Amino acid sequence: MDNQAKAIYALYAISVAVGVTAIVGVVLAYMAREDAPNWLASHYRFQIRTFWLLLLFSLIAAVLTVVLIGYLVLLATAVWLLVRCVKGWRHLDRREPVENVETWLF
């Protein structure tokens, strides 16, 4: 049951190198959240929110590349994404819900 959530975290982590995998991950998260128990549904909500924040941060970084600071923002966004994936994966391994789904940070 939680293998799909693990796959989504993996797809998000891989998206640091291959951006398209995040889109596949968010589609899977949207499809799986309806039938999931509460603790697992929190992971899907966290993953969906992670995708939309990733998109926002990436767009901001893309605009800022004109003034060269965008490259630092892209790097920070990649680190942010990986930290969220590791945090989510750790909670998933313990079969715990994500504590603060609404956070913008980690």
Side-chain angles (χ1 to χ4, degrees):
M1 176 187 300
D2 60 346
N3 287 337
Q4 186 168 3
K6 286 181 181 179
I8 295 168
Y9 283 123
L11 287 168
Y12 281 4
I14 293 167
S15 75
V16 170
V18 184
V20 178
T21 60
I23 296 169
V24 175
V26 77
V27 169
L28 290 173
Y30 270 115
M31 291 182 349
R33 71 180 173 163
E34 298 296 323
D35 302 328
N38 286 340
W39 73 272
L40 190 53
S42 74
H43 285 275
Y44 293 129
R45 285 192 308 273
F46 184 72
Q47 290 167 338
I48 291 167
R49 185 165 173 81
T50 297
F51 173 81
W52 290 112
L53 290 172
L54 173 65
L55 186 63
L56 173 66
F57 297 155
S58 296
L59 289 173
I60 291 169
V63 170
L64 290 175
T65 56
V66 174
V67 291
L68 300 178
I69 195 163
Y71 296 107
L72 292 175
V73 176
L74 278 174
L75 178 63
T77 300
V79 170
W80 170 86
L81 175 64
L82 292 173
V83 169
R84 281 180 72 101
C85 287
V86 168
K87 175 189 172 189
W89 192 294
R90 284 183 47 224
H91 285 292
L92 193 60
D93 276 344
R94 291 185 241 151
R95 301 183 73 80
E96 298 173 348
V98 176
E99 294 155 355
N100 188 0
V101 175
E102 299 297 318
T103 186
W104 282 58
L105 293 176
F106 311 109

PDB file of all heavy atoms in Angstrom, residues 68-80:
ATOM      1  N   LEU A  68      21.042  36.227 -12.731  1.00  0.00           N
ATOM      2  CA  LEU A  68      21.987  35.206 -12.295  1.00  0.00           C
ATOM      3  C   LEU A  68      21.732  34.626 -10.908  1.00  0.00           C
ATOM      4  O   LEU A  68      22.265  33.574 -10.581  1.00  0.00           O
ATOM      5  CB  LEU A  68      23.431  35.701 -12.393  1.00  0.00           C
ATOM      6  CG  LEU A  68      23.889  36.113 -13.789  1.00  0.00           C
ATOM      7  CD1 LEU A  68      25.312  36.614 -13.737  1.00  0.00           C
ATOM      8  CD2 LEU A  68      23.758  34.971 -14.774  1.00  0.00           C
ATOM      9  N   ILE A  69      20.929  35.257 -10.079  1.00  0.00           N
ATOM     10  CA  ILE A  69      20.651  34.687  -8.760  1.00  0.00           C
ATOM     11  C   ILE A  69      19.722  33.486  -8.877  1.00  0.00           C
ATOM     12  O   ILE A  69      19.646  32.657  -7.973  1.00  0.00           O
ATOM     13  CB  ILE A  69      20.072  35.748  -7.805  1.00  0.00           C
ATOM     14  CG1 ILE A  69      20.153  35.243  -6.378  1.00  0.00           C
ATOM     15  CG2 ILE A  69      18.648  36.100  -8.170  1.00  0.00           C
ATOM     16  CD1 ILE A  69      19.999  36.290  -5.335  1.00  0.00           C
ATOM     17  N   GLY A  70      19.048  33.363 -10.002  1.00  0.00           N
ATOM     18  CA  GLY A  70      18.139  32.242 -10.223  1.00  0.00           C
ATOM     19  C   GLY A  70      18.816  30.895 -10.130  1.00  0.00           C
ATOM     20  O   GLY A  70      18.209  29.901  -9.723  1.00  0.00           O
ATOM     21  N   TYR A  71      20.092  30.828 -10.488  1.00  0.00           N
ATOM     22  CA  TYR A  71      20.817  29.567 -10.404  1.00  0.00           C
ATOM     23  C   TYR A  71      20.982  29.123  -8.945  1.00  0.00           C
ATOM     24  O   TYR A  71      20.901  27.938  -8.637  1.00  0.00           O
ATOM     25  CB  TYR A  71      22.168  29.670 -11.102  1.00  0.00           C
ATOM     26  CG  TYR A  71      22.002  29.928 -12.579  1.00  0.00           C
ATOM     27  CD1 TYR A  71      22.279  31.186 -13.120  1.00  0.00           C
ATOM     28  CD2 TYR A  71      21.535  28.935 -13.420  1.00  0.00           C
ATOM     29  CE1 TYR A  71      22.111  31.430 -14.475  1.00  0.00           C
ATOM     30  CE2 TYR A  71      21.355  29.169 -14.777  1.00  0.00           C
ATOM     31  CZ  TYR A  71      21.640  30.411 -15.298  1.00  0.00           C
ATOM     32  OH  TYR A  71      21.448  30.645 -16.636  1.00  0.00           O
ATOM     33  N   LEU A  72      21.192  30.076  -8.062  1.00  0.00           N
ATOM     34  CA  LEU A  72      21.258  29.750  -6.633  1.00  0.00           C
ATOM     35  C   LEU A  72      19.895  29.319  -6.106  1.00  0.00           C
ATOM     36  O   LEU A  72      19.802  28.414  -5.273  1.00  0.00           O
ATOM     37  CB  LEU A  72      21.771  30.948  -5.833  1.00  0.00           C
ATOM     38  CG  LEU A  72      23.230  31.325  -6.060  1.00  0.00           C
ATOM     39  CD1 LEU A  72      23.576  32.607  -5.304  1.00  0.00           C
ATOM     40  CD2 LEU A  72      24.134  30.190  -5.635  1.00  0.00           C
ATOM     41  N   VAL A  73      18.853  29.975  -6.592  1.00  0.00           N
ATOM     42  CA  VAL A  73      17.498  29.600  -6.185  1.00  0.00           C
ATOM     43  C   VAL A  73      17.168  28.195  -6.689  1.00  0.00           C
ATOM     44  O   VAL A  73      16.543  27.403  -5.976  1.00  0.00           O
ATOM     45  CB  VAL A  73      16.468  30.645  -6.677  1.00  0.00           C
ATOM     46  CG1 VAL A  73      15.047  30.219  -6.335  1.00  0.00           C
ATOM     47  CG2 VAL A  73      16.766  32.013  -6.088  1.00  0.00           C
ATOM     48  N   LEU A  74      17.594  27.859  -7.895  1.00  0.00           N
ATOM     49  CA  LEU A  74      17.386  26.504  -8.418  1.00  0.00           C
ATOM     50  C   LEU A  74      18.110  25.471  -7.558  1.00  0.00           C
ATOM     51  O   LEU A  74      17.557  24.408  -7.257  1.00  0.00           O
ATOM     52  CB  LEU A  74      17.869  26.400  -9.860  1.00  0.00           C
ATOM     53  CG  LEU A  74      16.911  26.887 -10.933  1.00  0.00           C
ATOM     54  CD1 LEU A  74      17.595  26.866 -12.297  1.00  0.00           C
ATOM     55  CD2 LEU A  74      15.651  26.058 -10.954  1.00  0.00           C
ATOM     56  N   LEU A  75      19.323  25.772  -7.163  1.00  0.00           N
ATOM     57  CA  LEU A  75      20.078  24.868  -6.300  1.00  0.00           C
ATOM     58  C   LEU A  75      19.384  24.708  -4.948  1.00  0.00           C
ATOM     59  O   LEU A  75      19.235  23.585  -4.447  1.00  0.00           O
ATOM     60  CB  LEU A  75      21.507  25.382  -6.109  1.00  0.00           C
ATOM     61  CG  LEU A  75      22.400  24.553  -5.199  1.00  0.00           C
ATOM     62  CD1 LEU A  75      22.598  23.154  -5.772  1.00  0.00           C
ATOM     63  CD2 LEU A  75      23.731  25.246  -4.998  1.00  0.00           C
ATOM     64  N   ALA A  76      18.956  25.804  -4.372  1.00  0.00           N
ATOM     65  CA  ALA A  76      18.248  25.756  -3.090  1.00  0.00           C
ATOM     66  C   ALA A  76      16.944  24.969  -3.218  1.00  0.00           C
ATOM     67  O   ALA A  76      16.567  24.215  -2.312  1.00  0.00           O
ATOM     68  CB  ALA A  76      17.967  27.166  -2.585  1.00  0.00           C
ATOM     69  N   THR A  77      16.267  25.125  -4.343  1.00  0.00           N
ATOM     70  CA  THR A  77      15.025  24.394  -4.577  1.00  0.00           C
ATOM     71  C   THR A  77      15.290  22.894  -4.673  1.00  0.00           C
ATOM     72  O   THR A  77      14.527  22.086  -4.136  1.00  0.00           O
ATOM     73  CB  THR A  77      14.335  24.903  -5.865  1.00  0.00           C
ATOM     74  OG1 THR A  77      14.054  26.296  -5.701  1.00  0.00           O
ATOM     75  CG2 THR A  77      13.057  24.159  -6.147  1.00  0.00           C
ATOM     76  N   ALA A  78      16.362  22.506  -5.326  1.00  0.00           N
ATOM     77  CA  ALA A  78      16.712  21.088  -5.434  1.00  0.00           C
ATOM     78  C   ALA A  78      17.010  20.501  -4.049  1.00  0.00           C
ATOM     79  O   ALA A  78      16.552  19.398  -3.719  1.00  0.00           O
ATOM     80  CB  ALA A  78      17.904  20.906  -6.362  1.00  0.00           C
ATOM     81  N   VAL A  79      17.755  21.234  -3.236  1.00  0.00           N
ATOM     82  CA  VAL A  79      18.063  20.776  -1.881  1.00  0.00           C
ATOM     83  C   VAL A  79      16.782  20.680  -1.063  1.00  0.00           C
ATOM     84  O   VAL A  79      16.538  19.697  -0.355  1.00  0.00           O
ATOM     85  CB  VAL A  79      19.088  21.710  -1.203  1.00  0.00           C
ATOM     86  CG1 VAL A  79      19.233  21.399   0.282  1.00  0.00           C
ATOM     87  CG2 VAL A  79      20.424  21.621  -1.915  1.00  0.00           C
ATOM     88  N   TRP A  80      15.918  21.686  -1.184  1.00  0.00           N
ATOM     89  CA  TRP A  80      14.629  21.705  -0.482  1.00  0.00           C
ATOM     90  C   TRP A  80      13.806  20.473  -0.851  1.00  0.00           C
ATOM     91  O   TRP A  80      13.239  19.801   0.025  1.00  0.00           O
ATOM     92  CB  TRP A  80      13.889  23.001  -0.839  1.00  0.00           C
ATOM     93  CG  TRP A  80      12.476  23.067  -0.400  1.00  0.00           C
ATOM     94  CD1 TRP A  80      12.004  23.473   0.815  1.00  0.00           C
ATOM     95  CD2 TRP A  80      11.314  22.727  -1.183  1.00  0.00           C
ATOM     96  NE1 TRP A  80      10.636  23.400   0.833  1.00  0.00           N
ATOM     97  CE2 TRP A  80      10.195  22.950  -0.376  1.00  0.00           C
ATOM     98  CE3 TRP A  80      11.137  22.265  -2.481  1.00  0.00           C
ATOM     99  CZ2 TRP A  80       8.902  22.713  -0.826  1.00  0.00           C
ATOM    100  CZ3 TRP A  80       9.855  22.030  -2.934  1.00  0.00           C
ATOM    101  CH2 TRP A  80       8.740  22.263  -2.115  1.00  0.00           C
TER     102      TRP A  80
END
